[in-house]
Amino acid sequence: MEPIVTVASELLKSTESFIQFEEGLIPLIAQIACAAVAQALEAFDTELCLGKADWQIVRKDKRSIQCLFGTVQFERRLVIDASGVQSYPLDQALGISRGRRYSPLFMARVAELASGAVLRTVAKAVSALTPGSISFQTVGKLYQEVGRDIAEVEQVEAAAKPAPKAERVSVPELFIEGDAFEAKIKHHQRINVHRLQVSEGVYVNGKRHMLIKRHVISGLDRSGL
């Protein structure tokens, strides 16, 4: 692997302008960076897998991950643990699920751009500003995947938090009224709409009687009211 200084020096001699130099240097730097990262990942995989007496190494499989600095191609080991479960320890350590072709940071940046720009514009920006390329359809898929990941994290965090205790309120009076009515829908079908009304009393507003803190709950299933 040639040092970047050597690569840059040779490229300067063969280009006529700094624009040409920069355009030619970006893919070369990406190649050097991706090769170095691939070596680091494979070395990390060796550290994770070797020395595990209860693991059986099945084989090495190739994988490619598109990052902001380029596409990294590397090999990692498939192992079987003592319980008979197969896994890629390197994938688990990196937090990149099987089947994903993009790094978490790449996906996050693409999703951030897609939240405020047209998908085709985001695809052009990725192609112009990174060594890789991406279609506008893939931009949409990544935006949806990142949204699902965020939603899952929020659900897990919400489940881990203790539920707030409901504050008990004492009121002088509480009025509860329930009824139901039948509604027609398409193809002459009918449904029952159930309705529950709760209030804390009545006050007079001119000639009108108004309910205090009126709450209405309705639905098609009365068991949920």
Side-chain angles (χ1 to χ4, degrees):
M1 184 186 302
E2 292 185 90
I4 295 180
V5 175
T6 302
V7 172
S9 299
E10 294 177 355
L11 187 61
L12 278 171
K13 299 175 184 178
S14 61
T15 52
E16 299 178 355
S17 66
F18 195 78
I19 292 179
Q20 292 181 357
F21 167 74
E22 190 173 7
E23 287 181 340
L25 185 63
I26 290 175
L28 294 177
I29 292 178
Q31 292 177 9
I32 295 174
C34 290
V37 172
Q39 290 184 9
L41 291 175
E42 292 176 354
F44 186 34
D45 181 66
T46 300
E47 294 180 8
L48 292 172
C49 296
L50 297 185
K52 300 289 186 179
D54 56 345
W55 283 7
Q56 177 185 351
I57 298 176
V58 180
R59 63 178 183 270
K60 283 186 177 181
D61 290 330
K62 294 181 179 180
R63 184 169 190 181
S64 297
I65 300 294
Q66 186 170 342
C67 305
L68 290 177
F69 54 83
T71 301
V72 181
Q73 299 178 341
F74 57 96
E75 289 186 342
R76 78 277 198 235
R77 294 169 176 82
L78 174 66
V79 304
I80 301 177
D81 60 18
S83 60
V85 177
Q86 293 187 353
S87 65
Y88 293 97
L90 181 61
D91 292 3
Q92 294 178 349
L94 297 177
I96 303 176
S97 60
R98 188 175 181 180
R100 282 196 171 173
R101 298 168 47 208
Y102 305 93
S103 71
L105 181 59
F106 184 95
M107 294 177 63
R109 292 290 172 81
V110 170
E112 183 179 358
L113 291 174
S115 65
V118 179
L119 299 185
R120 292 183 184 272
T121 302
V122 176
K124 290 181 180 179
V126 172
S127 299
L129 300 176
T130 72
S133 62
I134 190 173
S135 66
F136 75 92
Q137 295 94 335
T138 303
V139 171
K141 291 180 181 179
L142 294 184
Y143 181 72
Q144 294 177 1
E145 287 185 20
V146 171
R148 285 194 296 268
D149 290 346
I150 294 174
E152 291 176 2
V153 171
E154 290 178 345
Q155 289 178 1
V156 172
E157 292 179 346
K161 294 180 180 179
K165 295 182 179 180
E167 182 181 355
R168 293 187 177 182
V169 179
S170 177
V171 296
E173 295 178 315
L174 184 65
F175 296 87
I176 302 176
E177 179 184 1
D179 60 3
F181 62 92
E182 190 178 67
K184 293 181 181 180
I185 57 177
K186 60 182 180 179
H187 303 306
H188 304 288
Q189 296 180 351
R190 298 174 180 270
I191 57 173
N192 290 321
V193 179
H194 302 273
R195 180 176 176 276
L196 186 68
Q197 179 175 279
V198 181
S199 65
E200 297 181 10
V202 181
Y203 72 95
V204 178
N205 183 13
K207 295 182 179 181
R208 301 180 60 185
H209 290 73
M210 307 293 293
L211 296 177
I212 302 174
K213 295 185 178 179
R214 174 175 173 264
H215 297 279
V216 177
I217 308 170
S218 62
L220 303 179
D221 183 8
R222 63 181 180 182
S223 64
L225 298 179

